[in-house]
Amino acid sequence: MTEHAASGNSEFPEVVRLARDLIRIDTTNHGGGRAVGEREAAEYVGAYLETLGLTPEYYEPIPRRTNVSVRVPGRDRSLPALVVHGHLDVVPAVAEDWSVDPFAGEIRDGMLWGRGAVDMKNMDAMILTSVADILRSGDAPARDLVVTFFADEENGGVEGSTLVVRDRPEWFAGATEAISEVGGFSVDVGDRRAYLLQVGEKALLWLRLVARGAAGHGSRVHPENAVTRLAEAVAAIGQTKWPVRLTPTTTQFLAALAETAGLPLDDPDAIAGSAGPAAAFLQATLRTTANPTALTAGYKHNVIPDRAEALIDVRVLPGTEDAALADIRRIVGDDIEIETVVGDIGLETPFSGDLVDAMVAALGRHDPDAPVIPYLMGAGTDNKALSRLGITGYGFAPLRLPRGLDFTGMFHGVDERVPLDALVFGQRVLTDLLRTY
């Protein structure tokens, strides 16, 4: 086993130690092919799987962008396999903004802190230890599990799951369903606790806006200023209020959440707002969002550049991509060029079927009387890539969270952290599911 895998002490549960070790392996992904790489984390995962008597396979289509997968034989191998997957990369963290070293895996106040504690090295550790619990007991999962850890998810999977699905489809032979991140966690609705089960995700449009003008001296009168043109376009997008537009999933989500909160169905944003700190996260699931995220222009204080660029993160409801692009074209005007850097499909699956029933039942066995509510996630996962193989994906990384914790606000945020007892709860629920479904 690697140096990382051997570290830690037994005063913490194994799921906590693994998550901490993974956080300590820097897998920062800046996007656009600029990444530290996932190789060491993939080797850590592979070494752990080998201790369970499994033989993982690696795929590194691009140097250091390493993916790892293993098939765990089930008790009934005639059943369709279930893919259980995570990603090993994380978004960048500016250490000066954090209360702790984002890659130290510090444990304090009953929480594990660090980049990846929420997205998604917590779930990676839960997957590994759930498989370990089953195999070490001499048992097997109910069906074959395809346990896979991808590279590059934080860049839309361009150098990760997209290439794995294209070049290693045999890894997923016989699989029809998948579970991964950003679902199965709890939110507080009034004085009740409820769990959100992810049955869909928005489509992805990462756009580059380009404004052009004439270069010149910074002191002159200059109406053809590319920076000014870009700034006007970016401000227009950032200030646009996108209307609520419901889908079958969000209609069902609102009805269930309103019933739990005791609210009428006439104000979707108010209903989503009943989920406390998760309000903004859930309100985003009801509409298109378009957020400027980066600006690039110029090279000297007194030189007006002839080109200025902005990056826009657009997430749209499944099937509305063309309409959203047309809206953005109208908002920015004809003088701005629009390039699609990364585009990917949206997903939406009915809140029904044997796997959904099994996930709901597993949560119910460990937290009785807490309702489970379907929702459509505002972001995306590697389930998009797996869907090209006909695999239906869900978000199920179960966590019972303390009241008032802004868990959803820590995705890509500062001081990312997860409660230790939530990790233990999640491991137990996930083990239960994999043992029984």
Side-chain angles (χ1 to χ4, degrees):
M1 186 170 293
T2 67
E3 178 183 350
H4 286 289
S7 68
N9 62 64
S10 59
E11 73 174 285
F12 298 112
E14 185 178 25
V15 65
V16 173
R17 300 198 308 270
L18 263 65
R20 181 185 60 185
D21 285 351
L22 286 168
I23 288 169
R24 290 173 173 175
I25 305 173
D26 184 353
T27 53
T28 297
N29 187 354
H30 293 275
R34 297 179 299 114
V36 172
E38 298 83 0
R39 182 183 293 168
E40 286 77 17
E43 290 173 345
Y44 173 99
V45 166
Y48 183 88
L49 293 169
E50 288 175 0
T51 69
L52 304 177
L54 302 169
T55 305
E57 295 183 36
Y58 298 88
Y59 181 51
E60 190 176 282
I62 296 168
R64 295 194 52 77
R65 309 312 304 274
T66 316
N67 308 270
V68 58
S69 184
V70 71
R71 185 173 291 255
V72 184
R75 296 190 303 273
D76 185 349
R77 306 204 69 184
S78 69
L79 294 172
L82 175 68
V83 182
V84 186
H85 64 97
H87 64 83
L88 296 172
D89 60 324
V90 295
V91 297
V94 179
E96 292 78 9
D97 296 338
W98 285 56
S99 302
V100 299
D101 180 342
F103 297 103
E106 183 171 332
I107 295 173
R108 71 178 192 191
D109 302 326
M111 295 192 181
L112 172 63
W113 299 60
R115 180 59 87 211
V118 167
D119 184 11
M120 65 170 290
K121 290 177 175 178
N122 59 344
M123 176 61 167
D124 294 338
M126 288 157 53
I127 293 169
L128 291 169
T129 50
S130 292
V131 171
D133 280 354
I134 294 171
L135 297 183
R136 288 170 183 163
S137 71
D139 200 356
R143 63 185 67 218
D144 280 12
L145 303 178
V146 181
V147 178
T148 305
F149 298 88
F150 292 112
D152 201 46
E153 192 274 346
E154 298 293 1
N155 185 46
V158 174
E159 296 185 349
S161 59
T162 297
L163 300 182
V164 173
V165 164
R166 185 192 71 186
D167 300 337
R168 293 292 186 273
E170 66 276 8
W171 281 4
F172 310 102
T176 57
E177 295 171 311
I179 57 173
S180 188
E181 59 179 331
V182 203
F185 60 91
S186 70
V187 295
D188 294 312
V189 184
D191 60 356
R192 298 190 65 186
R193 181 167 54 239
Y195 289 87
L196 300 177
L197 180 58
Q198 192 255 92
V199 297
E201 51 190 63
K202 282 183 173 180
L204 169 66
L205 290 172
W206 282 347
L207 305 179
R208 177 182 290 112
L209 306 186
V210 179
R212 299 183 187 276
H217 199 287
S219 66
R220 61 177 290 182
V221 174
H222 200 95
E224 297 181 16
N225 189 314
V227 176
T228 302
R229 288 175 175 170
L230 180 73
E232 290 171 345
V234 168
I237 288 177
Q239 294 166 2
T240 296
K241 297 187 182 302
W242 298 86
V244 170
R245 183 171 178 177
L246 300 184
T247 73
T249 298
T250 54
T251 299
Q252 194 172 5
F253 158 74
L254 289 171
L257 191 60
E259 180 181 359
T260 303
L263 294 174
L265 276 170
D266 57 352
D267 188 341
D269 280 326
I271 295 169
S274 70
F281 177 82
L282 294 175
Q283 287 164 347
T285 72
L286 307 177
R287 50 172 55 82
T288 293
T289 60
N291 286 303
T293 56
L295 298 169
T296 304
Y299 54 90
K300 195 174 187 299
H301 207 133
N302 62 347
V303 177
I304 299 170
D306 62 1
R307 178 185 175 103
E309 300 181 2
L311 301 182
I312 313 293
D313 186 349
V314 185
R315 309 297 176 115
V316 305
L317 300 173
T320 66
E321 296 93 325
D322 291 342
L325 273 173
D327 284 338
I328 289 171
R329 163 57 61 205
R330 173 184 53 78
I331 291 166
V332 304
D334 293 337
D335 288 341
I336 303 295
E337 301 170 21
I338 300 176
E339 302 173 2
T340 299
V341 180
V342 179
D344 211 341
I345 58 172
L347 304 172
E348 191 167 18
T349 302
F351 184 58
S352 61
D354 291 344
L355 178 53
V356 168
D357 291 344
M359 291 186 286
V360 171
L363 283 169
R365 287 190 290 272
H366 294 265
D367 194 359
D369 303 322
V372 180
I373 297 173
Y375 89 106
L376 185 145
M377 186 176 61
T381 74
D382 286 318
N383 281 329
K384 293 182 187 298
L386 291 171
S387 72
R388 297 183 179 94
L389 298 176
I391 296 171
T392 302
Y394 302 89
F396 191 70
L399 296 169
R400 184 171 59 199
L401 299 166
R403 178 174 293 275
L405 180 68
D406 187 6
F407 177 75
T408 59
M410 287 188 283
F411 281 86
H412 299 188
V414 173
D415 285 344
E416 192 178 339
R417 59 199 183 276
V418 63
L420 306 188
D421 57 3
L423 287 173
V424 173
F425 173 86
Q427 178 197 355
R428 289 173 179 165
V429 175
L430 188 60
T431 301
D432 189 346
L433 175 70
L434 301 182
R435 197 189 298 270
T436 58
Y437 174 66

